[in-house]
Amino acid sequence: MAKVIRDLADTSSYWAAVWSMCPMPDVHVICDAPIGCFNLVATAVPDYTDSVPHIENITPSVITEQEVGGSGTGEAVKRTYEGLRDEGMLEGKQLIVVSTAESEMIGSDLTDLVKQLQEGTTFFHSESLSDDEHVGRDRVLQWLWENYGAAQADGIEVEAGLVNIIGPTYGCFNAPSDLHEVKRLIEGAGGRVNIVFPYACKLADITDLAKAQVNVIMYQEFGHTLAATLGQPTLHAPFGMRGTTTFLQNLGDLLGTRAQADAFIQHEKKTTLQSVWDLWRGPQSDWFPTTTIGISATRTYVEGLQSYLGDELGMPILFTAPRPGKVGEMNNEAVRQFIHKSPPTLIYGSINERIYMAEAGATRSAFMPAAFPGAMVCRSVGTPFMGYRGTVHLIQEIVNKLYDALFSFLPLDTAYSKPSSGAVQPVKVGDAGNMPWNDDAKEVLDKALDKLPFLARISASRELQMRVEAEAQAKDLDEVTAELATAVLAAQAD
Amino acid sequence: MTIPKSDEMKSKGKPCQLHPQSMCPAFGSLRILTRLEGSHPVMATDTGCLYGLTFVTHFYGARKSLLAAHLGTEELMAGEVVEGTRAAIEVAAKEPGVRLIPVVSLCVAETAGLPEEMLPKKAGDADVVLVRVPAYAIHSHPEAKDVALAALLNRLGDTSVAKKKKTLVLLGEVFPADPLAIDGLLRRMGVEQTITLPGRSIDDIERAASVGAVAPLHPFYKETMQVFRSWDIPVVGGAPVGMSGSYAWLKSIGKLLDLDPKLVNEVAEEERAKAAAILSGNPLEGATVIVSGYEGTELAYARLLVEAGAHVPFVSTSIGSDPLVLPDELWLKQRGTQEVIYRKTLEHDVQALDDYDPDLVIGTTPYCAIAKERGIPAVYFTNQLASRPFFLTGGMGATIGFIKQMLSREDKYQWMHDFFELEVVNNG
């Protein structure tokens, strides 16, 4: 049976190549692409993932019918190169030609052609028809090292205390905040940040990757091949208080700065982490056991959230869907069905999960952006998921969502309600005292309440009850029936 | 900034054309196809393309789950494009409320080959309609809207129903308030019903084959107009844009649909008087505005701004030159527009910044970013203009009001420019 995709979560290795190469300002990419593959990867999508107006150092060969029809893309790439050269846009730049799904489809191999272009021009066959963005990023980082770093790295000495960060690239969710926090942790443990590859470095500097004593890999999804090649000890960027503490201690051990790392941890407990301790000791943590969670994101984020929210704070994790998925794990089809059936209180995910929530009418669940695809500004450095600051940010967002849920159920006098506001209208208080509910009707109400955040249940219970009773009175019924309760509560969910 | 300053390019004559400006053409079709109630598109393409198009569709199109055949090296080598697409069609056929399954065939699938006769015509009760929109052949986003709509009409238009003489199709994706305003005026002239295409209703596509006339509000629906002509449905020229344009348009609809000339005249004159009141005093006089989008409607917008007194020296668009846009081009060139560029590149647009020293730029996102870097007020055409009323006097008032507001914000753009581009800033 042929494979069917529902709402793709991962893009291709062509995107990985562009998004990994173009953050470096001394690179210019010619993408061997039709107009669409250029526009989407360089403007339409990074406008809304990385909040950049457009990626400036990329130019398309603009594949048209002529190239597809038999002439191949060689001439178009050459013409593009000549235009760039004549405009002076390649001065001080390393030119890289990157294949796309369409150029691969018509078998365009430009390995030889690039030798006729600016000296040192290379061709990166992105394997876009077979590899996903994660495999692609891993491969392109290694390829960049082999082509632009390794040769000059012989004889470079490792310098004590220097730490590389491998990843992020464009298109990595929440990268600025997480990167900011990881840098802070490295410095806290006594290290110095060396190269942040490729997000904040020049291609000309990547030889210096060889200087670092330790490599920190931001994401599990890519960077391991390069880290293994570099050969120094490797750590992963951490989540949660437990994970971050271990990370700091390990880094301290590797750098020989364990005492400094331990002192930093102690200092963090009294500063950054004081808010987690306060929220834990306060009434907020009492809601955690009833705050159910679903997570669909990169494996890095899924496992990080699961360990912090689930293992450390004790929230029930109802589903996880790590990307890229493995056999036996939930795909989008399964996530969609899960959300349609019983959406958790908080759903961490991409716009795909948000759409499934909209389809399900899951208005009582809250969507927590945690992955691309989806339009999201993540440029503030104050929204980390990783590190100690991540633990504070995550808990703060969760508690504020619960406050929101409670607020939306508190009674509001109907006289103040303005019909034009578009909000659900407050229910009119009836005048007939308590109405009898038959057992089936009570069960319907209980089931509806089960789906709500625990914190909101007292108010919600009253509110939903009143709505049903108001309808029963309007219909002149003597008691509330299951049928009526079901109808009113279904209308409520919209 | 890697785009060279345009004065460097100017010295060499015509700008080098390196960065064409259009949303991926295929998105035009997806936008239309996902917004139809009961339509569940199936895409035939590679994963990179699928990611990008799904991304923009979920942002700008519809909150709709999208299905696709998995087409990787393995499937393409094994020649399984048809099998994969059929499998995705089967899944789509199980969606609740499905009536239509458009199969959107993109670059890779088109190159591999996806023969129409190998696809089912029906899946369950849903019609399966193939829409071929490879970016390498379609070139621009608006033209893909045309391809998609023509495919739907060809397949679903119900020609068995008798023509209703006094009914009209309004052709073009417009701001929802526009058809309401147009419909209101036309009903006063004796029109019995209007249908807006592309819209949300599949029934409207079926009904479209029995209308009295079709009025393209946008100038790139070439294939769609062919379909209407094949049904012997006449086409109304022009569009209800600006004072002169709206007047002529209302009159020609009156004639074409055989409406009571007295009523038509009354409405047209009234609308003209309202327009004259809005335009009196040339509200945009003294402003130089560059109009440069990729929606295919740029010339019409420029026309309205010129009527309101603005100087619009440069207009550029992603669509190709065509007899349908020629009247607007001629009209503009008689009124001070020096350049109208089709299939434009970013380089054309950047040069215009130096050549014409605009007070306001309405452009694509890369172009607006460059204008803002120079302290020039600039807005993204697609997000800002296409999301406001535009037609008749209502649209005229809204559009001119917006432009005036933008022009009054110059100091903010200047301050931002100074703050980010200069070393020392007067912070006052």
Side-chain angles (χ1 to χ4, degrees):
Chain A
M1 180 67 184
K3 242 165 78 186
V4 175
I5 300 172
R6 179 182 289 285
D7 306 316
L8 197 65
D10 309 303
T11 185
S12 71
S13 47
Y14 157 62
W15 289 61
V18 172
W19 280 0
S20 299
M21 291 172 182
C22 288
M24 293 180 287
D26 53 346
V27 168
H28 197 99
V29 167
I30 292 179
C31 56
D32 197 7
I35 186 169
C37 294
F38 161 65
N39 169 270
L40 291 169
V41 78
T43 302
V45 172
D47 268 356
Y48 303 109
T49 50
D50 293 85
S51 314
V52 292
H54 63 137
I55 297 177
E56 295 170 3
N57 48 346
I58 177 169
T59 307
S61 64
V62 194
I63 296 178
T64 64
E65 294 103 317
Q66 199 187 335
E67 285 75 29
V68 176
S71 76
T73 62
E75 279 308 308
V77 168
K78 221 169 142 187
R79 207 166 46 236
T80 306
Y81 158 69
E82 285 160 2
L84 289 167
R85 178 196 61 198
D86 294 349
E87 296 300 330
M89 292 171 74
L90 297 178
E91 278 159 32
K93 304 265 188 164
Q94 196 65 54
L95 181 62
I96 305 175
V97 180
V98 176
S99 74
T100 62
E102 183 60 17
S103 76
E104 290 167 23
M105 190 67 208
I106 59 175
S108 193
D109 182 347
L110 304 178
T111 312
D112 289 330
L113 180 112
V114 294
K115 292 173 191 152
Q116 301 168 38
L117 312 184
Q118 170 171 298
E119 201 188 333
T121 301
T122 48
F123 176 59
F124 183 72
H125 195 274
S126 70
E127 305 287 357
S128 195
L129 286 173
S130 53
D131 290 351
D132 69 23
E133 60 177 298
H134 312 295
V135 173
R137 282 192 183 93
D138 193 69
R139 195 164 76 85
V140 72
L141 294 185
Q142 173 70 13
W143 182 88
L144 287 166
W145 167 252
E146 284 170 5
N147 283 272
Y148 298 96
Q152 295 80 41
D154 281 352
I156 288 185
E157 297 283 316
V158 168
E159 207 172 300
L162 287 185
V163 180
N164 290 326
I165 300 176
I166 299 177
T169 74
Y170 285 138
C172 291
F173 183 86
N174 205 28
S177 277
D178 286 332
L179 177 61
H180 190 75
E181 174 63 357
V182 169
K183 281 181 177 171
R184 194 182 72 92
L185 296 176
I186 290 170
E187 283 159 13
R192 284 171 292 133
V193 175
N194 183 39
I195 302 280
V196 179
F197 179 56
Y199 198 65
C201 72
K202 287 184 178 168
L203 188 64
D205 296 337
I206 70 172
T207 298
D208 285 348
L209 283 165
K211 281 187 187 163
Q213 196 181 355
V214 176
N215 291 304
V216 172
I217 301 179
M218 284 285 287
Y219 307 102
Q220 296 186 35
E221 290 73 42
F222 62 92
H224 295 89
T225 307
L226 173 61
T229 307
L230 292 172
Q232 293 301 110
T234 297
L235 294 174
H236 284 106
F239 286 76
M241 290 183 292
R242 296 181 198 175
T244 305
T245 304
T246 306
F247 171 87
L248 290 165
Q249 289 170 342
N250 287 345
L251 185 57
D253 287 342
L254 290 170
L255 298 176
T257 53
R258 178 60 188 260
Q260 193 177 334
D262 285 339
F264 178 70
I265 294 165
Q266 286 312 311
H267 184 254
E268 283 287 287
K269 288 182 191 174
K270 300 289 174 212
T271 53
T272 307
L273 293 174
Q274 180 67 38
S275 48
V276 176
W277 186 223
D278 285 345
L279 286 157
W280 183 258
R281 291 179 301 140
Q284 290 84 0
S285 66
D286 304 353
W287 300 314
F288 296 166
T290 52
T291 301
T292 55
I293 307 279
I295 315 166
S296 174
T298 58
R299 189 169 299 276
T300 301
Y301 259 42
V302 166
E303 291 183 0
L305 286 167
Q306 194 173 14
S307 99
Y308 177 53
L309 303 182
D311 300 344
E312 294 182 33
L313 301 183
M315 297 181 193
I317 312 286
L318 300 194
F319 75 80
T320 59
R323 305 281 180 253
K326 293 179 187 162
V327 177
E329 291 177 335
M330 287 172 89
N331 60 14
N332 280 345
E333 190 64 58
V335 169
R336 188 185 191 216
Q337 280 164 22
F338 194 105
I339 291 175
H340 283 186
K341 209 168 144 221
S342 53
T345 309
L346 303 177
I347 298 175
Y348 287 85
S350 69
I351 198 161
N352 296 336
E353 286 67 41
R354 203 171 188 189
I355 287 173
Y356 307 150
M357 289 170 73
E359 288 172 340
T363 48
R364 302 301 188 208
S365 297
F367 171 68
M368 312 293 273
F372 292 134
M376 186 78 199
V377 180
C378 303
R379 290 289 292 272
S380 152
V381 293
T383 62
F385 280 44
M386 293 178 177
Y388 284 150
R389 282 190 178 160
T391 65
V392 178
H393 171 65
L394 287 168
I395 211 170
Q396 172 171 311
E397 290 293 292
I398 287 171
V399 171
N400 286 336
K401 283 290 178 206
L402 296 175
Y403 290 166
D404 268 357
L406 173 60
F407 180 81
S408 67
F409 280 108
L410 288 180
L412 173 68
D413 267 25
T414 45
Y416 292 103
S417 141
K418 301 280 181 288
S420 62
S421 70
V424 177
Q425 290 307 298
V427 62
K428 265 221 167 330
V429 176
D431 54 8
N434 290 335
M435 268 196 108
W437 287 57
N438 72 30
D439 288 346
D440 292 344
K442 273 185 218 142
E443 203 185 312
V444 170
L445 181 64
D446 287 344
K447 276 195 177 148
L449 288 171
D450 265 350
K451 292 186 175 170
L452 297 175
F454 195 78
L455 170 60
R457 282 188 199 174
I458 299 173
S459 296
S461 166
R462 177 73 43 78
E463 144 112 14
L464 296 179
Q465 206 177 328
M466 281 168 62
R467 264 182 208 285
V468 177
E469 288 182 6
E471 190 61 27
Q473 282 169 8
K475 289 193 151 82
D476 261 343
L477 300 180
D478 297 330
E479 77 165 2
V480 176
T481 61
E483 196 189 358
L484 180 80
T486 307
V488 174
L489 295 176
Q492 259 287 287
D494 290 340
Chain B
M1 191 62 241
T2 56
I3 304 300
K5 291 276 183 274
S6 54
D7 47 357
E8 293 166 27
M9 298 194 293
K10 220 162 123 189
S11 60
K12 296 169 193 146
K14 281 186 79 167
C16 192
Q17 294 166 33
L18 288 167
H19 300 89
Q21 298 285 283
S22 170
M23 174 63 93
C24 175
F27 174 59
S29 68
L30 272 166
R31 192 177 142 92
I32 286 176
L33 298 170
T34 51
R35 289 166 85 92
L36 278 168
E37 172 91 13
S39 160
H40 287 276
V42 160
M43 292 160 76
T45 188
D46 69 279
T47 52
C49 167
L50 185 60
Y51 182 87
L53 285 173
T54 309
F55 193 110
V56 289
T57 300
H58 284 162
F59 186 43
Y60 282 118
R63 290 184 285 179
K64 186 169 280 180
S65 181
L66 288 173
L67 293 162
H70 185 271
L71 300 185
T73 311
E74 211 176 297
E75 290 82 2
L76 290 162
M77 289 297 162
E80 286 172 358
V81 178
V82 171
E83 286 81 346
T85 307
R86 291 178 71 111
I89 291 170
E90 270 173 45
V91 178
K94 295 191 187 98
E95 294 285 348
V98 62
R99 289 178 59 189
L100 170 67
I101 302 172
V103 174
V104 184
S105 179
L106 297 144
C107 293
V108 166
E110 284 295 289
T111 305
L114 181 57
E116 186 158 20
E117 61 275 15
M118 302 288 278
L119 296 178
K121 288 248 177 280
K122 284 255 180 192
D125 291 332
D127 288 292
V128 179
V129 179
L130 179 62
V131 179
R132 298 187 190 276
V133 279
Y136 62 72
I138 305 287
H139 306 300
S140 86
H141 159 73
E143 285 154 295
K145 292 185 183 178
D146 178 36
V147 172
L149 187 57
L152 293 182
L153 286 165
N154 256 327
R155 179 62 178 284
L156 301 176
D158 183 0
T159 50
S160 69
V161 182
K163 295 262 193 314
K164 299 189 185 74
K165 183 76 183 115
K166 293 186 188 342
T167 60
L168 182 74
V169 161
L170 301 170
L171 189 55
E173 255 207 312
V174 295
F175 186 70
D178 276 325
L180 284 185
I182 296 173
D183 184 86
L185 278 195
L186 295 182
R187 278 181 196 269
R188 282 179 53 207
M189 290 175 14
V191 170
E192 284 159 7
Q193 197 187 28
T194 62
I195 294 170
T196 309
L197 294 181
R200 299 281 322 272
S201 157
I202 293 173
D203 294 337
D204 280 348
I205 295 172
E206 292 170 356
R207 268 198 289 268
S210 58
V211 295
V214 57
L217 300 175
H218 293 160
F220 48 79
Y221 283 100
K222 278 189 283 191
E223 287 191 26
T224 304
M225 282 162 63
Q226 273 310 113
V227 179
F228 280 100
R229 286 200 189 94
S230 76
W231 292 334
D232 289 325
I233 293 174
V235 177
V236 184
V241 177
M243 184 166 79
S244 56
S246 299
Y247 184 80
W249 187 78
L250 290 169
K251 289 279 210 177
S252 69
I253 284 184
K255 220 172 265 171
L256 211 55
L257 297 189
D258 214 6
L259 305 174
D260 178 354
K262 195 170 153 273
L263 274 180
V264 171
N265 205 44
E266 203 177 287
V267 169
E269 290 295 344
E270 192 183 297
E271 189 63 11
R272 182 153 74 172
K274 273 198 214 163
I278 292 174
L279 297 179
S280 71
N282 288 328
L284 299 182
E285 194 171 20
T288 299
V289 183
I290 282 178
V291 182
S292 156
Y294 51 56
E295 296 293 331
T297 55
E298 292 73 18
L299 280 78
Y301 276 93
R303 218 177 131 152
L304 175 56
L305 303 188
V306 168
E307 273 200 334
H311 175 45
V312 184
F314 178 91
V315 182
S316 72
T317 181
S318 64
I319 59 173
S321 174
D322 188 86
L324 282 171
V325 264
L326 196 61
D328 282 339
E329 180 180 340
L330 292 175
W331 190 98
L332 285 167
K333 286 202 164 153
Q334 283 161 9
R335 290 165 181 82
T337 300
Q338 282 144 278
E339 285 183 90
V340 175
I341 309 277
Y342 300 95
R343 300 251 187 268
K344 54 83 173 293
T345 61
L346 184 58
E347 286 75 15
H348 284 122
D349 287 351
V350 171
Q351 174 141 5
L353 280 185
D354 272 358
D355 288 353
Y356 303 113
D357 191 21
D359 302 305
L360 172 64
V361 166
I362 300 165
T364 60
T365 54
Y367 186 36
C368 287
I370 293 166
K372 288 172 190 170
E373 278 166 29
R374 298 188 187 188
I376 302 167
V379 285
Y380 181 25
F381 185 101
T382 302
N383 284 4
Q384 294 302 325
L385 282 188
S387 58
R388 288 166 204 277
F390 172 58
F391 297 97
L392 297 170
T393 46
M396 204 174 190
T399 303
I400 294 170
F402 171 65
I403 299 291
K404 274 181 81 92
Q405 187 200 351
M406 281 308 302
L407 288 165
S408 72
R409 290 166 52 85
E410 202 267 338
D411 57 333
K412 294 168 181 63
Y413 287 82
Q414 193 59 52
W415 190 88
M416 284 285 183
H417 165 269
D418 292 354
F419 186 79
F420 285 103
E421 299 281 328
L422 306 181
E423 294 256 327
V424 184
V425 169
N426 170 10
N427 198 25

